[in-house]
Amino acid sequence: MYLATLELECTIYTTPYTTKRLNFILVIRSPSKAISSYPSKLVVHQSMASEPGILTDWPWKPLGSFKYIILAPWITESIYSIIVGDEKGCDVFNLMILPLMLWRMLHSQLWISLSRYRTTKGTNRIVDKGGSHIPIWRTDGVIITLLLHADPVEFLYYWFHRALHHHYLYSRYHSHHHSSIVTEPSTSVTHPFAEHILYFALFIIPLSTVVFTGTGSIIAIAGYITYIDLMNNMGHCNFELIPNWVFSIFPPLKYIMYTPSFHSLHHTQFRTNYSLFMPIYDYIYGTMDKSSDTLYKISLQRKEETPNVVHLMHLTTPESIYHLRVGFPYLASKPYSSAWYLWLLWPVTLSFMMLTKIYRRSFVVERNQFHQLRLQTWAIPNFREQYHLKWQKESINNMIEEAVLEAEEKGASVLSLGLMNQGKELNRYGEVYVKKHPQLKVKLVDGSSLAVAVLLNSIPKGTTQVLLRGNLTKVAFAVAFSLCQKGIQVTVLHEDEYEKLDISLGTKSEGKLVISKSYSSCKVWLVGDDLTEEEQRKANKGTLFIPFSQFPLKNLRKDCFYHTTPAMQTPKALENVDSCEQNWLPRRVMSVWRIAGILHALEGWEEHECGYTISNIDKVWEACLKHGFHPLTVPTQSKS
């Protein structure tokens, strides 16, 4: 059985006087049956459009989807006439152009949909369309694909690649790809457009061959494309995953399959290991890097990196998984914003949520380097809403405790508790773990001291009165105390808040703690999680809101100023800062709760900073500035 497939542009004579031009596929299956023996009621002739004449194409064809812009003058004039109420200038014909076109499109689509539905259903169908399905498997097509990839694809790629490393082409094209010394899968497709055309021309050789020879199959086509993507991504993944026993079982495999370490050397040495996926041509032409085997073995034996400082956070919303560094780099590189296309990923999101119920351990989401310190960020697989459920408290505490002990086992000197992992109701700012494990070597840091220092330095100079509103945390009590010591009046709105602060501060408040029902007296508000929208709307115009909470305030007022949650600008020496922390902070801006852990390790402080203790605020602030962290500009100062 032979199979020939021809794609023709034809004119079909539906009546003796009318014609219709169609593109269709003619499939000839039997070699013993002449074409003339097929039903001849449908007469086919070659269309004259195979040699297009003048005006065969529409004049606005080059505009593509923008062709409808030619309607803009009529539509604009009609809309303007309606808005200004110019009855004389409102031409009915102009006014009807757009709705008439929309009606014709809808009318045509209704017929198209009905026709396709009835054709699919089969009822009263007039013509049966002939066609064939591509087979799932054809041995000869698979073999042809493999052989054509080995040669000429690999052979041509090798020499094209070497040519791209010539200084003329390298400086104009290929250097763009080599800007990634430390590669990752996205590097595999980071090429100038001209190179993409070249690679497409190479990879199409096996595919077009099996198509034109009639030996194509789903496995051959889909499998080859998958093979290209697999090897491309694997070669740039920056970790070695091919076990040594694979090459021990079949030694010649080293000539026909590269490893991630093999291609990594090409990105660091530039003049070796040019092959696409098969190193055989580097062996043949003497461009094989001599350290390829050594690097491969070293990479396999390399142990997990031991962090000096661990920052323990948690997920915020189900969609926040895509904003992590291990998620989508584009989303991770900027503050959180809800993207419509993430709704299309709801099956993945739901699956991950189910996975978090099974996998009850922290996981690494980011690695950074600051001078000699190795920093890692770990995340608890719990979402923000789960922290408000009392029945989840024990489970979350167990996961945090396991993370603390794991950091201890790995030799970390400091673990800082971020977001709600240090909640008072949850574990008393981490004090529970210190009391449970009195011999704990890793120092637990909740960052409250630095948070207080940053808040105090965010209040504009000359401020004499501050309104304190929100859930009274350890930071809120410490800030209130420091403000009173500085002679700044602290105003609260609710009696219960006043009583708690008064008991805590006592005579230390020096008469600066007052209660007031007035919202108009304070231009600076220090706010926490319990600030209501109603209270926020009662603030005076120009009020500066400074959050002391872990989570940002919802910005309801356009006539007021909103500062970020306590955070600082990181020094340039901090490496691998590729994503936004906590989803709402800009890149290279870090929360003070995380910075506090870094400072603790840099300064070599031996005490825990957790529970209800507060370190020396001035000492922490001076250490922060000394190591290159910079305070953020307060909004009112930037606009004044």
Side-chain angles (χ1 to χ4, degrees), residues 138-151 205-206 209-210 213 215:
R138 280 198 60 154
T139 305
D140 52 355
V142 172
I143 294 175
I144 290 173
T145 303
L146 293 175
L147 292 177
L148 288 177
H149 176 78
D151 188 8
I205 293 174
T209 301
V210 295
T213 58
T215 58

Side-chain angles (χ1 to χ4, degrees), residues 595-609:
I595 295 174
I598 299 174
L599 294 179
H600 220 80
L602 288 171
E603 294 294 319
W605 293 329
E606 293 297 326
E607 71 276 7
H608 295 283
E609 187 194 331

Side-chain angles (χ1 to χ4, degrees), residues 24 53 56-57 105 157 322 337 357 372 441 460 522 561 588:
F24 73 102
T56 299
D57 290 329
M105 293 170 63
Y157 177 89
Y322 305 113
S337 59
K357 295 183 178 298
Q372 300 302 316
K441 294 181 181 178
C522 297
F561 302 95
R588 301 205 70 86

Side-chain angles (χ1 to χ4, degrees), residues 397-398 400-402 404-405 408 430-442 444 608:
N397 265 332
N398 288 338
I400 297 175
E401 183 179 359
E402 289 176 4
V404 171
L405 296 178
E408 167 95 345
E431 186 181 36
V432 168
Y433 313 116
V434 174
K435 289 189 173 182
K436 189 174 181 180
H437 304 280
Q439 303 301 320
L440 203 61
K441 294 181 181 178
V442 59
L444 295 190
H608 295 283

Side-chain angles (χ1 to χ4, degrees), residues 73-83 89-96:
W74 288 279
I75 296 171
T76 304
E77 181 184 354
S78 300
I79 294 175
Y80 175 77
S81 299
I82 294 173
I83 293 175
C90 183
D91 193 324
V92 176
F93 176 75
N94 290 348
L95 189 63
M96 289 300 296

Side-chain angles (χ1 to χ4, degrees), residues 422 446-458 473-476 478-479 526 546-550 565-568 591-596 599 609 614 617 620-621 624:
Q422 53 163 280
D446 67 5
S448 299
S449 304
L450 183 57
V452 173
V454 168
L455 288 167
L456 293 176
N457 284 276
S458 298
T473 62
K474 174 183 175 180
V475 172
V479 168
L526 296 178
I546 304 176
F548 59 78
S549 59
Q550 297 270 9
T565 55
M568 300 189 76
S591 71
V592 295
W593 290 277
R594 186 177 175 186
I595 295 174
L599 294 179
E609 187 194 331
I614 288 284
I617 295 173
V620 172
W621 180 249
C624 191

Side-chain angles (χ1 to χ4, degrees), residues 310-330:
V310 173
H311 180 61
L312 188 64
M313 53 183 292
H314 60 79
L315 302 172
T316 52
T317 65
E319 286 186 352
S320 65
I321 61 173
Y322 305 113
H323 294 264
L324 296 176
R325 180 70 180 89
V326 295
F328 295 152
Y330 170 73

Side-chain angles (χ1 to χ4, degrees), residues 388 423-425 429 468-477 497 500 526-531 548-549:
H388 296 292
K424 174 185 176 183
E425 294 79 10
Y429 308 110
L468 184 66
R469 177 69 192 97
N471 185 27
L472 294 179
T473 62
K474 174 183 175 180
V475 172
F477 280 103
E497 293 175 352
K500 291 178 181 178
L526 296 178
V527 295
D529 291 327
D530 286 347
L531 179 72
F548 59 78
S549 59

